[in-house]
Amino acid sequence: MSSAESHVFRLPRPLRLENGSVLPHVEVAYHTYGQLSPARDNVLWVCHALTANSDVLEWWPGLVGSGCHFDPSEWFIVCANVLGSCYGTTGPLTPDPVTGEAAFQQFPLVTIRDMVTVHEALREHLALARINTLIGGSLGGQQAVEWAVQRPDLFENLVLLATSARHSAWGIAFNEAQRLAILADPTYHQATPAGGAAGLRAARAVALLSYRSHDAYGRTQTDADETKTTDFLASSYQRYQGDKLVARFDAYSYVTLSHAMDSHHVGRGRGGVQAALGRIRARTLVLGITSDVLFPPQEQQLLARYIKGAMYAEMDSQYGHDGFLIETAQITHFLERFYVQTYVH
């Protein structure tokens, strides 16, 4: 495959979800970049976060792309849009091929394990017997750690950023607050493509408080005009970010994917988190962010503690959780240290 290609893969059989529901027809949108080496040992698989898509060059500039650490001239890069999203993979707005109707709020519960099942089907389709590096941050990191637990012999290297072994009560509470905003929008229950837009706008404003930090808002959204009593920069920023998400995402996928995050627990049915993480065989780099309030550093420290031989590092960042998307120079620095022992291309 040549550089920067978008594809759609249809699963060859119905997908049974973890909760017992069955999706009879599942399509996966994915991107590939670069070419497989003759030895097929240069595969980088990127798992994306909540509202991202499969075009990783679009949302992770500075880390993936020409001249970056993960350069398509050296790596064969795969990124698949997750199950339940609205960027080409089967989700709540996907018309049923038989009835022509979308499921909207009736779309079944999807878990992180279901997302990994779809990734695994795509990997088999691509005939990738070995993956050099699996990387993901936030919800992407949840997918990556789950996949590494399921298939310990598949991955040579694992890179986890701003994520966890189990979604915390704090994270679930943030997600529930966002869903309450969406469900309070009467249009969500009308099952139309634009349903829940006002609720989604409010949900995004809630989410931003977990993605950023007190200091980041203080630096960028504090008004210079000290006489103001209304129409503050911070208020307009929240509205602006809400509008931006509504223009590119939908409320039904947002509810679906936030529930998927809540489901994340690598220890479920495996004797607990420590036992599950003990299955991982990949060389692992875990990166935390000092100012991350959604996935605080202690959650990354736990991953590093129970994954055998894991390297842990912490990024000092003012950007909060979003630092995993922004601090690409720091990420690159730690990746270079991590790969120096075995990086051979």
Side-chain angles (χ1 to χ4, degrees):
M1 296 179 183
S2 62
S3 193
E5 294 185 356
S6 60
H7 315 265
V8 175
F9 164 62
R10 171 171 283 190
L11 268 64
R13 59 190 66 87
L15 175 66
R16 181 171 294 279
L17 301 174
E18 189 180 356
N19 76 344
S21 301
V22 175
L23 292 175
H25 308 282
V26 174
E27 291 189 341
V28 185
Y30 68 101
H31 275 72
T32 62
Y33 314 84
Q35 295 184 323
L36 270 171
S37 64
R40 304 175 72 85
D41 63 350
N42 65 330
V43 179
L44 169 72
W45 194 297
V46 181
C47 295
H48 72 71
L50 184 66
T51 66
N53 55 36
S54 61
D55 188 359
V56 63
L57 267 66
E58 175 186 289
W59 54 263
W60 224 347
L63 186 67
V64 183
S66 179
C68 300
H69 184 85
F70 293 119
D71 191 320
S73 68
E74 299 179 347
W75 294 85
F76 178 64
I77 303 167
V78 182
C79 183
N81 185 222
V82 295
L83 183 68
S85 185
C86 57
Y87 288 119
T89 295
T90 297
L93 297 191
T94 304
D96 184 282
V98 177
T99 67
E101 299 294 323
F104 295 103
Q105 69 268 42
Q106 301 303 318
F107 194 75
L109 175 69
V110 167
T111 68
I112 298 297
R113 295 183 185 183
D114 296 324
M115 293 176 178
V116 169
T117 298
V118 174
H119 291 333
E120 181 65 14
L122 176 59
R123 181 196 66 80
E124 291 178 354
H125 168 70
L126 295 174
L128 300 174
R130 184 80 171 160
I131 293 174
N132 180 294
T133 299
L134 175 65
I135 186 172
S138 193
L139 178 140
Q142 294 178 335
Q143 297 162 58
V145 70
E146 172 64 34
W147 201 0
V149 167
Q150 287 189 22
R151 294 295 310 272
D153 297 326
L154 180 60
F155 306 101
E156 182 177 341
N157 300 293
L158 174 65
V159 182
L160 305 172
L161 305 94
T163 193
S164 63
R166 174 185 183 179
H167 205 43
S168 66
W170 174 251
I172 293 169
F174 259 113
N175 282 344
E176 186 64 18
Q178 294 169 62
R179 288 189 295 264
L180 287 171
I182 292 171
L183 294 173
D185 181 345
T187 67
Y188 178 80
H189 307 282
Q190 295 171 4
T192 62
L200 179 60
R201 187 173 182 249
R204 185 62 164 184
V206 172
L208 278 170
L209 301 179
S210 69
Y211 298 159
R212 306 290 168 79
S213 70
H214 177 278
D215 288 349
Y217 271 88
R219 273 187 283 268
T220 64
Q221 303 303 320
T222 297
D223 289 273
D225 181 357
E226 297 183 358
T227 66
K228 271 192 174 184
T229 58
T230 188
D231 195 27
F232 296 104
L233 281 174
S235 300
S236 61
Y237 180 75
Q238 298 300 93
R239 294 193 299 269
Y240 167 73
Q241 291 293 341
D243 289 341
K244 274 182 65 178
L245 185 68
V246 168
R248 68 176 180 86
F249 215 74
D250 74 82
Y252 304 99
S253 286
Y254 201 88
V255 168
T256 296
L257 298 186
S258 68
H259 274 304
M261 286 190 81
D262 294 353
S263 79
H264 176 59
H265 186 344
V266 295
R268 185 171 61 249
R270 294 174 176 145
V273 165
Q274 183 175 350
L277 294 178
R279 297 184 181 189
I280 293 175
R281 294 292 174 265
R283 291 183 65 254
T284 302
L285 170 64
V286 184
L287 291 178
I289 302 170
T290 55
S291 56
D292 190 346
V293 297
L294 183 57
F295 292 89
Q298 58 261 35
E299 296 199 326
Q300 281 72 239
Q301 292 164 6
L302 183 147
L303 287 166
R305 184 180 311 126
Y306 294 130
I307 297 174
K308 293 183 181 68
M311 170 183 168
Y312 175 74
E314 211 164 276
M315 294 185 288
D316 187 11
S317 173
Q318 68 182 40
Y319 295 109
H321 182 63
D322 275 355
F324 86 93
L325 296 170
I326 298 168
E327 300 282 9
T328 55
Q330 286 199 64
I331 297 170
T332 297
H333 166 73
F334 290 119
L335 283 169
E336 288 172 348
R337 288 179 54 197
F338 174 66
Y339 280 108
V340 70
Q341 299 174 25
T342 60
Y343 183 24
V344 177
H345 266 305

